[in-house]
């Protein structure tokens, strides 16, 4: 299992949680934004080239060994 932090999929550079703050920083109330800080919609996230490139890297890989029955003696 691999976890991906959703703000990373669109390049959001702001910290999403700063420990020890509760009234100085909005923490969990931040909308996901692009690298320039503009909020993005769910449709924009799913269409993000950055997201698709990340999923390509993290996607299934070809097995390194032959499956049973196909191994050479």
């Amino acid at each position: 299992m691999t976890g991906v932090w959703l703000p990373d999929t669109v390049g959001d550079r702001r910290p999403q949680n700063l420990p020890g703050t509760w009234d100085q920083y909005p923490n969990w109330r931040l909308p996901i934004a692009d690298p320039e800080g503009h909020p993005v919609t769910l449709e924009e996230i799913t269409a993000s080239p950055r997201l698709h490139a990340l999923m390509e890297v993290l996607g299934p890989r070809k097995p390194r060994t032959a499956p049973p029955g196909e191994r050479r003696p």
Side-chain angles (χ1 to χ4, degrees), residues 3-30:
V4 176
W5 186 242
L6 191 56
D8 287 343
T9 64
V10 291
D12 194 346
R13 296 178 180 266
R14 300 168 303 161
Q16 296 294 316
N17 184 21
L18 293 178
T21 64
W22 56 277
D23 64 348
Q24 300 92 347
Y25 191 75
N27 278 328
W28 300 107
R29 297 179 302 238
L30 290 172

Side-chain angles (χ1 to χ4, degrees), residues 25-44:
Y25 191 75
N27 278 328
W28 300 107
R29 297 179 302 238
L30 290 172
I32 296 175
D34 63 16
E36 290 79 37
H38 302 107
V40 295
T41 65
L42 182 58
E43 291 79 13
E44 291 170 323

